[in-house]
Amino acid sequence: MTIELATTVERIAAVIDDDPLAAVVHLRAHGDLVGPCEVAARVRSHRLTADEPPVMGGADAGPTPVEHALVALGSCWVMTLAFWASKLGVRVDTCRVVVNGQLDVRGFLGLPSGVRPGCTAVGLEVTLGGPETAETYGELVGIVDEHCPVRDIFTGSTPVTSSVRLV
Amino acid sequence: MTIELATTVERIAAVIDDDPLAAVVHLRAHGDLVGPCEVAARVRSHRLTADEPPVMGGADAGPTPVEHALVALGSCWVMTLAFWASKLGVRVDTCRVVVNGQLDVRGFLGLPSGVRPGCTAVGLEVTLGGPETAETYGELVGIVDEHCPVRDIFTGSTPVTSSVRLV
């Protein structure tokens, strides 16, 4: 598949150039606990399920939350590549990614260990197909690593606040 | 719903106590670019879709990757609450979360701004129902913030490597 998003990117850039505040987007996701550890989630018109496998007390009705985070990372990396390949005029015919994440559940369970609750390591294995040189694709991968929003959420530090209402 | 996961947590803790290496889990997600910016993702037997809305050049076949990341965060927070409420004997009848994320797309698009590609701010609005005191739920929320794996991925810093194979 040849990726043709350049027009979209240029159009968005022109809008933002006129009004920088248009660059700020507000996203929202909803989640309800509907089983021992099953969560029914919604984003706009899209519905998703998160659950744990039976060994963790769930019914495996969907990926675990950390697996959802790996899907977010992998899909974001692939989309960022599609956008930047188009913007730079680099042809990409196929793009596939495998995301491997390692987690020590002692952090989540509060067991003595000193490990963090989140992933201790994450690796992206990308397979790219197309007619460009290895050097061109190497440069493209560096640019994608630098601009991928969810990769930045993983590698950087994002402030998260919690507010609670009792009913 | 009364949450009863205490037995599961205790069983896992006993296994890990015998063999700390059993605490390390390896997770994997797959993603393929199947449209201008649509990604078909898979985790074990579960299939998910990520896409962009038409304004970004996509067909809105699924949530955007950053929306997937917010689903991961919200579902993880709710599940962590379910586990810890059970572990501590705190009754929770209902738990609902809304996750709000703010993103400046200039970071993703590489437009001059100095902003990061990831979220600049994330807020969790939690609604809890049950018979315990506000103080008990307040303490529980603090413990959940501290032990939630995906919250830790957002607030902390996770090493992410990329390897590329050309075909």
Side-chain angles (χ1 to χ4, degrees), chain B residues 31-124:
Chain B
D32 276 290
L33 186 63
V34 296
C37 46
E38 182 180 339
V39 178
R42 179 172 63 79
V43 175
R44 295 180 284 115
S45 65
H46 305 292
R47 293 180 186 279
L48 301 93
T49 301
D51 200 359
E52 293 288 331
V55 67
M56 293 291 282
D60 196 26
T64 68
V66 175
E67 287 173 333
H68 274 286
L70 299 186
V71 165
L73 174 59
S75 61
C76 200
W77 202 95
V78 170
M79 278 194 210
T80 305
L81 180 123
F83 270 101
W84 276 91
S86 177
K87 180 171 174 167
L88 299 173
V90 174
R91 183 170 151 188
V92 174
D93 293 333
T94 59
C95 179
R96 169 169 293 191
V97 69
V98 179
V99 188
N100 293 295
Q102 191 173 296
L103 187 84
D104 188 322
V105 297
R106 288 177 294 179
F108 164 65
L109 295 170
L111 300 176
S113 65
V115 298
R116 61 181 294 197
C119 289
T120 47
V122 174
L124 295 165

Side-chain angles (χ1 to χ4, degrees), chain A residues 33 36-37 39 108 164 166, chain B residues 1 3 5 73-97 126-129 136-145 147-149:
Chain A
L33 186 63
C37 46
V39 178
F108 164 65
V164 180
L166 304 181
Chain B
M1 168 197 348
I3 298 159
L5 292 169
L73 174 59
S75 61
C76 200
W77 202 95
V78 170
M79 278 194 210
T80 305
L81 180 123
F83 270 101
W84 276 91
S86 177
K87 180 171 174 167
L88 299 173
V90 174
R91 183 170 151 188
V92 174
D93 293 333
T94 59
C95 179
R96 169 169 293 191
V97 69
V126 180
T127 306
L128 280 183
T136 296
Y137 286 131
E139 286 172 4
L140 178 63
V141 166
I143 289 169
V144 174
D145 276 348
H147 292 89
C148 173

Side-chain angles (χ1 to χ4, degrees), chain A residues 18-71:
Chain A
D18 286 343
D19 176 15
L21 283 181
V24 180
V25 293
H26 298 272
L27 309 168
R28 176 172 286 182
H30 302 256
D32 277 289
L33 186 63
V34 296
C37 46
E38 182 181 339
V39 178
R42 180 173 62 79
V43 174
R44 297 181 282 118
S45 64
H46 304 292
R47 294 181 185 278
L48 300 93
T49 302
D51 199 359
E52 293 289 331
V55 67
M56 292 292 282
D60 196 25
T64 67
V66 176
E67 287 173 333
H68 274 286
L70 299 186
V71 165

Side-chain angles (χ1 to χ4, degrees), chain A residues 56 81 105 128 130 135:
Chain A
M56 292 292 282
L81 180 123
V105 297
L128 281 183
E135 188 184 356

Side-chain angles (χ1 to χ4, degrees), chain A residues 108-122:
Chain A
F108 164 65
L109 295 170
L111 301 176
S113 66
V115 297
R116 61 182 292 198
C119 288
T120 47
V122 173

